[in-house]
Amino acid sequence: MVQAQRRLKPRATGGGHARRRSLLIFLIPALALYSVFIVYPLISALEYSFYSWTGTRRGGFAGLSNFHDLLTKYPLSEQVWRALGHNCLFFVGTMLIQTIAGLTFAVLLHKSRRGKRFLQTAFTLPHLVSPIVVGYLWSLMLNPQFGAVNAALRGVGLGSLAQPWRGDPHLALPVAIVVNAWQWIGFPMLLFAAALAGIPEEYEQAARCDGASSWQVFRRVTFPLLTPVLGIVSVLTFIGNFNVLDLIYALQGSQGNPTFSTDVLGLLFYRTAFDNPDANAIGQSSALAVCMFVLIFGVSIAANRFFRRMEDRLR
Amino acid sequence: MRKYCTLVAALSLALALPACAPSAQSSGGKVHLTVLSWRPEDTAGYKKIFAPYEKSHPKVTIDFKPIKSTEYLTVLPTELKKSQGGPDVVQLKPYGPLQSYVTSGDLEPLDGKVDVSNWPANVLQAAKGKQDGKLYGVPYALQTLQVLYNKKIFAQQNLQPPTTWAEFTAACDKLKKAGITPMATSGLQPWVLAIDHQIFGATRYGGDDFEKAVLTGKKNFTDPDYTASLDTTAKLRQYFPDKVTAVDYPDAQTLFTSGKAAMYPGGSYEVGPFTKSTPDLQIGFFDAPPAPGATVNHPLTSGYVDGSYGVNAHSDHRAEATDLVKWMATPEFGQLYASTLKQISLVPGTTPGDPLLAQAYQNYKDHGATYMMVVDFGYGNPLGRDQEGQALQKMLAGGSAADAGRFVQKGISAWFKPNGG
């Protein structure tokens, strides 16, 4: 409650007018960039999506017909839902691996004294590499002919487990999820580690005095206090995973090979915009972009609210 | 979202600030023409090709401006939309993918301006507007599809290029027994599988007769001859590399050039890069023999036009650009192009710049067929080539040929309406 009041009432400072002006001056460059590169394209994409196009020439106002096309015109009608489904699986899979592994690593590292810095850096390293490069490197490692993964399996006598990792429609998406989680695992780990460091030791000691086991301490004391971080991780992972393009493009090409089994909304947008023999490519792709934005924005806001409420319950 | 927004922003900026860097300037009475292309690897070659033109047209200089092929189609629309300073001559995709530029009005019609009177109609189709029937480009190269083979491996295994299907499968079996992958191909890329199907399945479904029957609505892709041809291709899996569904296009190329695979079903466009990357690789080729149950009883060499060069309708130097494109329809350019870049030029009266390609071209003239999924069924979304490739991927994953045929039919009929009957 005290905190909330503090948040609402900024400390009064003298010379508010001049201060506001200098703030504005500092904000203008960022605001200008933001408007040109974010706000303007957003609005123009919204505008584009309501017109019919022939190539790059804008035709008449088309109302919602581009959106109608997305939902009813084969193959788009099929691809949109399939891609959305894959995005959901991609998010859920990544979230599960990333959160469980990230949290485990963070807790283990929190307790360990030796090699902490080194391991933290090592786990975070893939995070610093571009997803395009990560995708390319993994595509080499997963190569059925020359790749390291199958060679290693054969080397230890597990040759029967060697798979066409990127070529089997049932395996391709799980493989992409694992690669994605591998790349981003350091991010939740760092956030969890920071949050763990912020939990006073007295809490654990008090719980121990009450006779709590290690698991009970984690489950009842530590984990609930990590809820805010879990919220941030979830929302950011959601945004990142629903916009994913580069990693899957590098791993499976623009068509989400094989048989669209790794197709996601980002790839579908790319294909609809730039690799689409339909004359109305701009209209359809803008409509898709608008839908993606509405979905991602809406869910992010809802999730934020949800986690806020959970946090408030903690207080 | 932010990624696309930035992209759209970049596009919008390009639209809003068109005249920042005019590339076509007239300085000192000289006209500077920009040729936009997706072939960075051909830059030196084009410089050589354009040299005689610059000599005979002292007032014109030509700047060959290549853009990475994977990015070309995202760049071309904005380049063509520039009201000033855009490219003058642009390389254009053939058939369907050309159409959106035609309907946007970004290309200059060339009818009556270039002399293509003795060119075959099926070649010009690649550069024509589907709706208005006007010519928007001068086609530059023909690609033929056949089976390339490693001559050294064939000699070592005492094999001859097969002339019957039985000889072909016997050769494959022998190679397999010797521990050599009979054929390198990519099961991961739908377009590669579609090429495989055209090479091995064309005789089975009936070549151009079947194509015409579909175009006129007498048959469709659920036809038993067509699904049998898909089956013929999918059954070759036993001769493809291990785990072919995960083999990518560059992997397939490497398997062949490194001598791990003896054959490579592919386009004539592979010959140049293969010999360049592996100079001691001796390549031969043969047409796939008629498949079992084939409705055409002789081999077919399938072919299609690779693309064309057209004139930007917003160019500041349309007259000079049209002159250049006009020259691209002459035997002088055709021969220079064929010899310098080792391609099959489409200008009548020219000979390909490589004995192997000369033979492929002759075969095409003798018993050519249309690569129908690119030529006729590439005008809508989904492209026939992609849909057929996906259908084959489904078969490689265990699907039936009948389902694959229905899948192809469903895709093509989403935009294709047969005419006549």
Side-chain angles (χ1 to χ4, degrees):
Chain A
M1 215 34 211
V2 180
Q3 253 184 347
Q5 273 176 350
R6 215 182 276 158
R7 213 187 291 159
L8 284 176
K9 246 190 186 172
R11 207 147 44 95
T13 43
H17 199 69
R19 192 180 147 83
R20 204 175 298 162
R21 199 192 302 165
S22 61
L23 267 179
L24 205 67
I25 289 170
F26 281 112
L27 275 177
I28 279 175
L31 202 66
L33 284 173
Y34 186 77
S35 314
V36 170
F37 288 107
I38 311 279
V39 179
Y40 174 68
L42 258 178
I43 293 171
S44 56
L46 183 68
E47 189 195 350
Y48 289 178
S49 68
F50 290 117
Y51 286 85
S52 76
W53 294 74
T54 41
T56 46
R57 190 202 286 164
R58 191 162 87 177
F61 185 75
L64 291 174
S65 88
N66 289 325
F67 295 89
H68 188 252
D69 274 5
L70 273 188
L71 300 177
T72 57
K73 196 172 183 184
Y74 183 86
L76 279 174
S77 57
E78 206 178 285
Q79 291 177 347
V80 167
W81 295 111
R82 179 169 46 206
L84 180 64
H86 289 162
N87 272 112
C88 293
L89 288 174
F90 194 72
F91 166 65
V92 171
T94 305
M95 210 37 218
L96 277 177
I97 302 178
Q98 211 183 249
T99 318
I100 294 174
L103 186 57
T104 312
F105 290 158
V107 170
L108 292 178
L109 286 175
H110 182 61
K111 300 220 165 124
S112 78
R113 298 269 172 268
R114 244 191 286 160
K116 186 174 174 178
R117 265 290 160 84
F118 171 76
L119 286 171
Q120 263 182 350
T121 314
F123 289 137
T124 321
L125 219 52
H127 192 144
L128 305 177
V129 182
S130 152
I132 285 274
V133 178
V134 169
Y136 178 67
L137 288 177
W138 274 94
S139 78
L140 290 182
M141 288 200 277
L142 295 167
N143 186 306
Q145 307 289 328
F146 326 100
V149 174
N150 281 356
L153 284 173
R154 282 191 205 103
V156 296
L158 292 173
S160 58
L161 291 181
Q163 297 289 333
W165 300 106
R166 292 157 64 218
D168 184 329
H170 303 294
L171 275 178
L173 188 63
V175 164
I177 290 172
V178 171
V179 172
N180 188 48
W182 173 85
Q183 176 172 24
W184 298 105
I185 208 155
F187 173 65
M189 189 197 70
L190 284 183
L191 289 185
F192 283 129
L196 282 173
I199 298 175
E201 266 178 54
E202 290 83 0
Y203 289 12
E204 189 187 334
Q205 285 162 3
R208 292 272 186 191
C209 284
D210 291 344
S213 67
S214 291
W215 170 249
Q216 279 174 326
V217 171
F218 177 75
R219 174 70 191 81
R220 304 272 171 203
V221 179
T222 315
F223 189 67
L225 289 171
L226 293 177
T227 315
V229 177
L230 192 67
I232 294 170
V233 170
S234 306
V235 172
L236 290 180
T237 308
F238 173 79
I239 295 173
N241 284 187
F242 269 72
N243 278 327
V244 68
L245 167 82
D246 27 20
L247 180 81
I248 307 228
Y249 180 84
L251 264 180
Q252 305 287 14
S254 69
Q255 290 175 318
N257 294 325
T259 59
F260 291 125
S261 59
T262 52
D263 198 19
V264 288
L265 290 170
L267 282 184
L268 180 60
F269 171 83
Y270 176 86
R271 284 202 313 276
T272 313
F274 300 116
D275 203 3
N276 184 359
D278 199 305
N280 193 20
I282 293 185
Q284 290 171 350
S285 56
S286 300
L288 180 59
V290 168
C291 289
M292 284 172 70
F293 176 74
V294 168
L295 173 80
I296 294 169
F297 192 64
V299 172
S300 302
I301 286 190
N304 242 342
R305 286 227 177 117
F306 173 76
F307 283 108
R308 253 312 138 66
R309 224 171 287 154
M310 296 249 297
E311 273 174 59
D312 287 346
R313 224 181 288 162
L314 281 177
R315 292 218 170 89
Chain B
M1 189 65 205
R2 198 167 294 173
K3 224 168 292 162
Y4 313 123
C5 294
T6 323
L7 204 66
V8 177
L11 292 181
S12 328
L13 264 188
L15 298 183
L17 314 164
C20 284
S23 63
Q25 299 158 323
S26 323
S27 49
K30 267 206 165 185
V31 173
H32 192 66
L33 293 178
T34 311
V35 177
L36 204 66
S37 158
W38 67 73
R39 298 280 301 175
E41 56 273 51
D42 289 348
T43 309
Y46 271 106
K47 209 168 176 190
K48 232 160 128 184
I49 293 168
F50 288 138
Y53 186 84
E54 288 178 317
K55 212 167 181 188
S56 60
H57 297 72
K59 288 207 164 146
V60 174
T61 57
I62 300 168
D63 178 22
F64 183 76
K65 190 175 158 197
I67 287 163
K68 232 176 111 191
S69 63
T70 46
E71 280 151 32
Y72 188 77
L73 289 183
T74 61
V75 173
L76 184 60
T78 36
E79 286 286 325
L80 282 174
K81 266 288 167 266
K82 291 181 181 172
S83 59
Q84 241 188 329
D88 305 290
V89 172
V90 288
Q91 190 174 12
L92 297 164
K93 292 279 174 192
Y95 311 107
L98 164 74
Q99 302 307 317
S100 68
Y101 303 104
V102 171
T103 43
S104 308
D106 290 331
L107 298 173
E108 186 79 354
L110 298 173
D111 302 80
K113 294 176 192 159
V114 296
D115 181 15
V116 287
S117 49
N118 54 348
W119 291 47
N122 64 352
V123 166
L124 296 176
Q125 185 202 333
K128 278 190 171 173
K130 184 87 173 160
Q131 278 167 10
D132 62 9
K134 286 184 185 162
L135 184 73
Y136 288 94
V138 173
Y140 54 83
L142 175 83
Q143 302 297 350
T144 60
L145 304 176
Q146 54 275 303
V147 184
L148 308 181
Y149 71 93
N150 185 323
K151 279 185 170 171
K152 216 165 113 192
I153 298 181
F154 265 50
Q156 279 163 1
Q157 300 295 322
N158 208 7
L159 290 168
Q160 296 294 321
T163 52
T164 65
W165 193 262
E167 277 177 35
F168 170 62
T169 50
C172 288
D173 287 328
K174 190 171 182 186
L175 286 162
K176 212 175 162 186
K177 243 179 228 160
I180 301 163
T181 303
M183 274 186 278
T185 196
S186 160
L188 191 61
Q189 296 295 344
W191 66 271
V192 176
L193 286 172
I195 284 180
D196 291 345
H197 171 258
Q198 184 65 27
I199 291 172
F200 294 109
T203 53
R204 180 66 190 86
Y205 69 68
D208 290 1
D209 286 344
F210 176 78
E211 174 213 6
K212 288 200 181 74
V214 177
L215 286 174
T216 52
K218 286 189 191 110
K219 285 184 178 172
N220 65 33
F221 295 102
T222 59
D223 188 88
D225 281 329
Y226 178 75
T227 54
S229 73
L230 290 175
D231 209 33
T232 305
T233 313
K235 278 199 180 123
L236 291 173
R237 165 186 207 151
Q238 51 178 320
Y239 303 126
F240 290 160
D242 183 34
K243 302 191 172 51
V244 65
T245 51
V247 175
D248 210 344
Y249 175 54
D251 308 340
Q253 292 179 307
T254 312
L255 280 173
F256 182 66
T257 53
S258 65
K260 283 192 173 150
M263 290 179 265
Y264 181 97
S268 47
Y269 51 83
E270 305 278 19
V271 175
F274 279 178
T275 39
K276 204 171 172 187
S277 74
T278 325
D280 51 347
L281 181 73
Q282 289 177 23
I283 305 175
F285 74 89
F286 59 88
D287 288 323
T295 47
V296 177
N297 59 8
H298 57 80
L300 292 171
T301 302
S302 299
Y304 61 96
V305 175
D306 194 56
S308 68
Y309 277 105
V311 174
N312 178 2
H314 314 294
S315 158
D316 301 330
H317 306 287
R318 256 177 306 175
E320 290 85 354
T322 309
D323 277 344
L324 177 62
V325 168
K326 192 175 170 184
W327 178 68
M328 288 175 157
T330 63
E332 185 190 7
F333 169 83
Q335 198 53 59
L336 268 168
Y337 173 79
S339 311
T340 315
L341 296 175
K342 298 238 183 300
Q343 293 276 2
I344 303 173
S345 164
L346 284 161
V347 180
T350 56
T351 42
D354 181 284
L356 214 58
L357 295 181
Q359 184 57 46
Y361 193 25
Q362 192 55 48
N363 288 353
Y364 178 75
K365 285 187 197 157
D366 292 345
H367 47 256
T370 312
Y371 182 16
M372 63 172 175
M373 283 302 181
V374 161
V375 174
D376 296 304
F377 303 108
Y379 285 92
N381 186 19
L383 293 172
R385 183 193 72 181
D386 293 343
Q387 195 77 356
E388 188 181 71
Q390 312 266 4
L392 284 160
Q393 283 185 328
K394 283 175 189 277
M395 288 179 73
L396 291 179
S400 77
D403 283 347
R406 276 191 287 275
F407 177 76
V408 174
Q409 177 60 23
K410 187 181 177 193
I412 308 265
S413 61
W415 57 267
F416 169 74
K417 299 278 168 286
N419 54 34

